[in-house]
Amino acid sequence: MLRYLIKNNMKLIFRGKLIFFMMILIPVFLISMLSSAFDSMLNVNYSLQEYEVGYSVTEDSYILPILETVTIAGSKNHITLYPYSKEIGLEKLNDQTLDLYIEFGTKEYVIYQTEDTKAATMILKGVMSSCMQGEPLQGDSYLVETLDSNPIPEAKNYYGIAEIVYMMWCGIFSISAVINSEKKGQIRSRMKMSPTSSFRFYLGKFIPCVMILCIQMGLAIIITSFTLGIDWGDKLHLSFGILFLQAMAVSAFSIMLYQIFQNIAATIVACFFIVFSWGFFGGAFQTYMFATTSETMAKLSPIYYLNRTLVEYSTKGSSEYALPCVVILSAIIITGSMVSILLSRFCKGERI
């Protein structure tokens, strides 16, 4: 029975040839358009004339009496100081939205820098010394730590990944034929007379949805890799594993929405609104490196974690966001599947 359901639902999807091919070609178009539009922003090697420095100060720090003087002197030397907590400051330094981060302690300070901002460190140390009223800081009163910063990808590589992620979440359009087949085929009436469990009926929809998303996005990746030269990096097995989890999450999420609304039009509208919001805050349209939207809202978006993970896999081969990304996708898969199965049992008249 399960094999029959999978085969039948796959046929339903392939009947909609226009939607099937549009889901392959639309990400190719978006990648070409966005990478061209933002090429100058991501691909230029900047020669910074102004430096942005984050800082934190302990309550009993020696710097407090002259902090305002240091700030004024810094601005005259093209250094602007911004107060940040250490966690946020180091994250911004890692994302290259800050050039330096300085932590003022009771009797000493620690400067965090990257390989590209050593010049700013020298200027800042000079400013600090000149502000001590003729008493330069001793060599052992400060510590400089060099951090590895995240490399910024080329525009085509960033959007080559981000638009694949975004369009996969729009997979509701491709799999609508499957999740809408219940109504047209009177599946609910048949379920009441069938000995097949709700779980198998769910798998009969879920598996084809996952398969079709993998096929469509896989073809889009192949096309953009050969025509636009998109580079997914050396960790292809990890990146494709994340994308496979995403295909499962998208399928579970889409089926769950349909089970809730019981109307394909309402399901598509709700899905589009949610996915657009996730994409807007998660870096599908403006890069998360230079985002002007709320960072708090970005971290509520699954797309943000997917983009961070896959882009960092492509540029540096590792990502601290991989584990949260897997956890979030797994939570969506489990929650979406459980809700769909429970609602199916309720409609079938089974005792939950």
Side-chain angles (χ1 to χ4, degrees), residues 34-52:
L34 291 173
S35 61
S36 176
F38 293 101
D39 182 71
S40 59
M41 183 179 75
L42 291 178
N43 295 353
V44 172
N45 293 321
Y46 294 98
S47 176
L48 294 176
Q49 300 299 319
E50 300 286 338
Y51 296 101
E52 296 185 355

PDB file of all heavy atoms in Angstrom, residues 34-52:
ATOM      1  N   LEU A  34      20.465  38.516  -8.360  1.00  0.00           N
ATOM      2  CA  LEU A  34      20.958  39.056  -7.094  1.00  0.00           C
ATOM      3  C   LEU A  34      22.480  39.091  -7.036  1.00  0.00           C
ATOM      4  O   LEU A  34      23.064  40.037  -6.503  1.00  0.00           O
ATOM      5  CB  LEU A  34      20.405  38.237  -5.927  1.00  0.00           C
ATOM      6  CG  LEU A  34      18.899  38.374  -5.687  1.00  0.00           C
ATOM      7  CD1 LEU A  34      18.430  37.397  -4.618  1.00  0.00           C
ATOM      8  CD2 LEU A  34      18.551  39.800  -5.283  1.00  0.00           C
ATOM      9  N   SER A  35      23.130  38.082  -7.579  1.00  0.00           N
ATOM     10  CA  SER A  35      24.597  38.078  -7.554  1.00  0.00           C
ATOM     11  C   SER A  35      25.157  39.201  -8.410  1.00  0.00           C
ATOM     12  O   SER A  35      26.185  39.799  -8.077  1.00  0.00           O
ATOM     13  CB  SER A  35      25.132  36.721  -8.036  1.00  0.00           C
ATOM     14  OG  SER A  35      24.730  36.464  -9.378  1.00  0.00           O
ATOM     15  N   SER A  36      24.473  39.534  -9.509  1.00  0.00           N
ATOM     16  CA  SER A  36      24.909  40.658 -10.346  1.00  0.00           C
ATOM     17  C   SER A  36      24.666  41.984  -9.650  1.00  0.00           C
ATOM     18  O   SER A  36      25.504  42.888  -9.677  1.00  0.00           O
ATOM     19  CB  SER A  36      24.168  40.610 -11.679  1.00  0.00           C
ATOM     20  OG  SER A  36      24.491  41.733 -12.467  1.00  0.00           O
ATOM     21  N   ALA A  37      23.503  42.099  -8.973  1.00  0.00           N
ATOM     22  CA  ALA A  37      23.149  43.364  -8.319  1.00  0.00           C
ATOM     23  C   ALA A  37      24.057  43.686  -7.146  1.00  0.00           C
ATOM     24  O   ALA A  37      24.398  44.845  -6.901  1.00  0.00           O
ATOM     25  CB  ALA A  37      21.693  43.315  -7.858  1.00  0.00           C
ATOM     26  N   PHE A  38      24.478  42.650  -6.392  1.00  0.00           N
ATOM     27  CA  PHE A  38      25.266  42.879  -5.180  1.00  0.00           C
ATOM     28  C   PHE A  38      26.731  42.488  -5.345  1.00  0.00           C
ATOM     29  O   PHE A  38      27.448  42.367  -4.357  1.00  0.00           O
ATOM     30  CB  PHE A  38      24.655  42.101  -4.012  1.00  0.00           C
ATOM     31  CG  PHE A  38      23.303  42.604  -3.607  1.00  0.00           C
ATOM     32  CD1 PHE A  38      22.154  41.935  -4.011  1.00  0.00           C
ATOM     33  CD2 PHE A  38      23.170  43.747  -2.833  1.00  0.00           C
ATOM     34  CE1 PHE A  38      20.894  42.395  -3.650  1.00  0.00           C
ATOM     35  CE2 PHE A  38      21.923  44.216  -2.465  1.00  0.00           C
ATOM     36  CZ  PHE A  38      20.788  43.538  -2.876  1.00  0.00           C
ATOM     37  N   ASP A  39      27.161  42.326  -6.592  1.00  0.00           N
ATOM     38  CA  ASP A  39      28.542  41.915  -6.844  1.00  0.00           C
ATOM     39  C   ASP A  39      29.542  42.917  -6.289  1.00  0.00           C
ATOM     40  O   ASP A  39      30.539  42.545  -5.681  1.00  0.00           O
ATOM     41  CB  ASP A  39      28.753  41.733  -8.348  1.00  0.00           C
ATOM     42  CG  ASP A  39      30.159  41.262  -8.678  1.00  0.00           C
ATOM     43  OD1 ASP A  39      30.473  40.096  -8.386  1.00  0.00           O
ATOM     44  OD2 ASP A  39      30.942  42.075  -9.199  1.00  0.00           O
ATOM     45  N   SER A  40      29.270  44.213  -6.471  1.00  0.00           N
ATOM     46  CA  SER A  40      30.217  45.237  -6.029  1.00  0.00           C
ATOM     47  C   SER A  40      30.308  45.312  -4.510  1.00  0.00           C
ATOM     48  O   SER A  40      31.346  45.681  -3.964  1.00  0.00           O
ATOM     49  CB  SER A  40      29.804  46.603  -6.586  1.00  0.00           C
ATOM     50  OG  SER A  40      28.508  46.955  -6.148  1.00  0.00           O
ATOM     51  N   MET A  41      29.227  44.959  -3.812  1.00  0.00           N
ATOM     52  CA  MET A  41      29.234  45.071  -2.359  1.00  0.00           C
ATOM     53  C   MET A  41      30.058  43.968  -1.706  1.00  0.00           C
ATOM     54  O   MET A  41      30.781  44.204  -0.740  1.00  0.00           O
ATOM     55  CB  MET A  41      27.806  45.003  -1.814  1.00  0.00           C
ATOM     56  CG  MET A  41      27.719  45.186  -0.306  1.00  0.00           C
ATOM     57  SD  MET A  41      26.035  45.124   0.318  1.00  0.00           S
ATOM     58  CE  MET A  41      25.718  43.349   0.221  1.00  0.00           C
ATOM     59  N   LEU A  42      30.003  42.763  -2.255  1.00  0.00           N
ATOM     60  CA  LEU A  42      30.674  41.631  -1.624  1.00  0.00           C
ATOM     61  C   LEU A  42      32.048  41.334  -2.198  1.00  0.00           C
ATOM     62  O   LEU A  42      32.870  40.725  -1.524  1.00  0.00           O
ATOM     63  CB  LEU A  42      29.803  40.375  -1.752  1.00  0.00           C
ATOM     64  CG  LEU A  42      28.511  40.355  -0.933  1.00  0.00           C
ATOM     65  CD1 LEU A  42      27.749  39.076  -1.194  1.00  0.00           C
ATOM     66  CD2 LEU A  42      28.807  40.492   0.546  1.00  0.00           C
ATOM     67  N   ASN A  43      32.307  41.749  -3.420  1.00  0.00           N
ATOM     68  CA  ASN A  43      33.533  41.319  -4.084  1.00  0.00           C
ATOM     69  C   ASN A  43      34.661  42.333  -4.068  1.00  0.00           C
ATOM     70  O   ASN A  43      35.725  42.086  -4.605  1.00  0.00           O
ATOM     71  CB  ASN A  43      33.231  40.945  -5.547  1.00  0.00           C
ATOM     72  CG  ASN A  43      32.316  39.746  -5.620  1.00  0.00           C
ATOM     73  OD1 ASN A  43      32.016  39.130  -4.613  1.00  0.00           O
ATOM     74  ND2 ASN A  43      31.885  39.414  -6.817  1.00  0.00           N
ATOM     75  N   VAL A  44      34.441  43.505  -3.463  1.00  0.00           N
ATOM     76  CA  VAL A  44      35.482  44.526  -3.432  1.00  0.00           C
ATOM     77  C   VAL A  44      36.362  44.337  -2.208  1.00  0.00           C
ATOM     78  O   VAL A  44      35.874  44.081  -1.111  1.00  0.00           O
ATOM     79  CB  VAL A  44      34.860  45.937  -3.411  1.00  0.00           C
ATOM     80  CG1 VAL A  44      35.927  46.987  -3.189  1.00  0.00           C
ATOM     81  CG2 VAL A  44      34.128  46.209  -4.715  1.00  0.00           C
ATOM     82  N   ASN A  45      37.663  44.447  -2.377  1.00  0.00           N
ATOM     83  CA  ASN A  45      38.583  44.465  -1.251  1.00  0.00           C
ATOM     84  C   ASN A  45      38.652  45.879  -0.699  1.00  0.00           C
ATOM     85  O   ASN A  45      39.232  46.765  -1.300  1.00  0.00           O
ATOM     86  CB  ASN A  45      39.988  44.001  -1.681  1.00  0.00           C
ATOM     87  CG  ASN A  45      39.995  42.551  -2.081  1.00  0.00           C
ATOM     88  OD1 ASN A  45      39.338  41.733  -1.459  1.00  0.00           O
ATOM     89  ND2 ASN A  45      40.741  42.235  -3.131  1.00  0.00           N
ATOM     90  N   TYR A  46      38.028  46.071   0.450  1.00  0.00           N
ATOM     91  CA  TYR A  46      37.924  47.403   1.013  1.00  0.00           C
ATOM     92  C   TYR A  46      39.245  47.856   1.630  1.00  0.00           C
ATOM     93  O   TYR A  46      39.943  47.087   2.272  1.00  0.00           O
ATOM     94  CB  TYR A  46      36.847  47.432   2.107  1.00  0.00           C
ATOM     95  CG  TYR A  46      35.470  47.198   1.586  1.00  0.00           C
ATOM     96  CD1 TYR A  46      34.887  45.938   1.649  1.00  0.00           C
ATOM     97  CD2 TYR A  46      34.748  48.239   1.031  1.00  0.00           C
ATOM     98  CE1 TYR A  46      33.621  45.728   1.170  1.00  0.00           C
ATOM     99  CE2 TYR A  46      33.471  48.040   0.556  1.00  0.00           C
ATOM    100  CZ  TYR A  46      32.910  46.778   0.622  1.00  0.00           C
ATOM    101  OH  TYR A  46      31.651  46.562   0.154  1.00  0.00           O
ATOM    102  N   SER A  47      39.573  49.121   1.426  1.00  0.00           N
ATOM    103  CA  SER A  47      40.697  49.754   2.106  1.00  0.00           C
ATOM    104  C   SER A  47      40.100  50.730   3.111  1.00  0.00           C
ATOM    105  O   SER A  47      39.690  51.840   2.752  1.00  0.00           O
ATOM    106  CB  SER A  47      41.594  50.482   1.100  1.00  0.00           C
ATOM    107  OG  SER A  47      42.632  51.157   1.768  1.00  0.00           O
ATOM    108  N   LEU A  48      39.989  50.300   4.353  1.00  0.00           N
ATOM    109  CA  LEU A  48      39.260  51.064   5.364  1.00  0.00           C
ATOM    110  C   LEU A  48      40.014  52.313   5.771  1.00  0.00           C
ATOM    111  O   LEU A  48      41.166  52.257   6.160  1.00  0.00           O
ATOM    112  CB  LEU A  48      38.995  50.180   6.593  1.00  0.00           C
ATOM    113  CG  LEU A  48      38.060  48.992   6.364  1.00  0.00           C
ATOM    114  CD1 LEU A  48      37.981  48.154   7.633  1.00  0.00           C
ATOM    115  CD2 LEU A  48      36.675  49.470   5.976  1.00  0.00           C
ATOM    116  N   GLN A  49      39.328  53.453   5.708  1.00  0.00           N
ATOM    117  CA  GLN A  49      39.875  54.709   6.191  1.00  0.00           C
ATOM    118  C   GLN A  49      39.394  54.987   7.609  1.00  0.00           C
ATOM    119  O   GLN A  49      40.040  55.689   8.359  1.00  0.00           O
ATOM    120  CB  GLN A  49      39.448  55.853   5.256  1.00  0.00           C
ATOM    121  CG  GLN A  49      39.934  55.674   3.814  1.00  0.00           C
ATOM    122  CD  GLN A  49      41.450  55.638   3.716  1.00  0.00           C
ATOM    123  OE1 GLN A  49      42.135  56.407   4.381  1.00  0.00           O
ATOM    124  NE2 GLN A  49      41.965  54.738   2.900  1.00  0.00           N
ATOM    125  N   GLU A  50      38.227  54.454   7.947  1.00  0.00           N
ATOM    126  CA  GLU A  50      37.677  54.610   9.286  1.00  0.00           C
ATOM    127  C   GLU A  50      37.592  53.224   9.936  1.00  0.00           C
ATOM    128  O   GLU A  50      37.258  52.252   9.274  1.00  0.00           O
ATOM    129  CB  GLU A  50      36.288  55.249   9.225  1.00  0.00           C
ATOM    130  CG  GLU A  50      36.254  56.622   8.584  1.00  0.00           C
ATOM    131  CD  GLU A  50      36.830  57.693   9.488  1.00  0.00           C
ATOM    132  OE1 GLU A  50      36.877  57.479  10.719  1.00  0.00           O
ATOM    133  OE2 GLU A  50      37.239  58.747   8.966  1.00  0.00           O
ATOM    134  N   TYR A  51      37.886  53.169  11.237  1.00  0.00           N
ATOM    135  CA  TYR A  51      37.841  51.907  11.960  1.00  0.00           C
ATOM    136  C   TYR A  51      36.757  51.963  13.031  1.00  0.00           C
ATOM    137  O   TYR A  51      36.622  52.967  13.734  1.00  0.00           O
ATOM    138  CB  TYR A  51      39.194  51.604  12.609  1.00  0.00           C
ATOM    139  CG  TYR A  51      40.313  51.395  11.627  1.00  0.00           C
ATOM    140  CD1 TYR A  51      41.234  52.400  11.368  1.00  0.00           C
ATOM    141  CD2 TYR A  51      40.435  50.193  10.947  1.00  0.00           C
ATOM    142  CE1 TYR A  51      42.265  52.216  10.453  1.00  0.00           C
ATOM    143  CE2 TYR A  51      41.459  50.000  10.031  1.00  0.00           C
ATOM    144  CZ  TYR A  51      42.364  51.010   9.788  1.00  0.00           C
ATOM    145  OH  TYR A  51      43.381  50.818   8.881  1.00  0.00           O
ATOM    146  N   GLU A  52      36.001  50.888  13.129  1.00  0.00           N
ATOM    147  CA  GLU A  52      34.964  50.773  14.148  1.00  0.00           C
ATOM    148  C   GLU A  52      35.423  49.775  15.206  1.00  0.00           C
ATOM    149  O   GLU A  52      35.753  48.629  14.874  1.00  0.00           O
ATOM    150  CB  GLU A  52      33.635  50.341  13.527  1.00  0.00           C
ATOM    151  CG  GLU A  52      33.073  51.369  12.554  1.00  0.00           C
ATOM    152  CD  GLU A  52      31.695  50.986  12.046  1.00  0.00           C
ATOM    153  OE1 GLU A  52      31.224  49.878  12.389  1.00  0.00           O
ATOM    154  OE2 GLU A  52      31.092  51.784  11.315  1.00  0.00           O
TER     155      GLU A  52
END
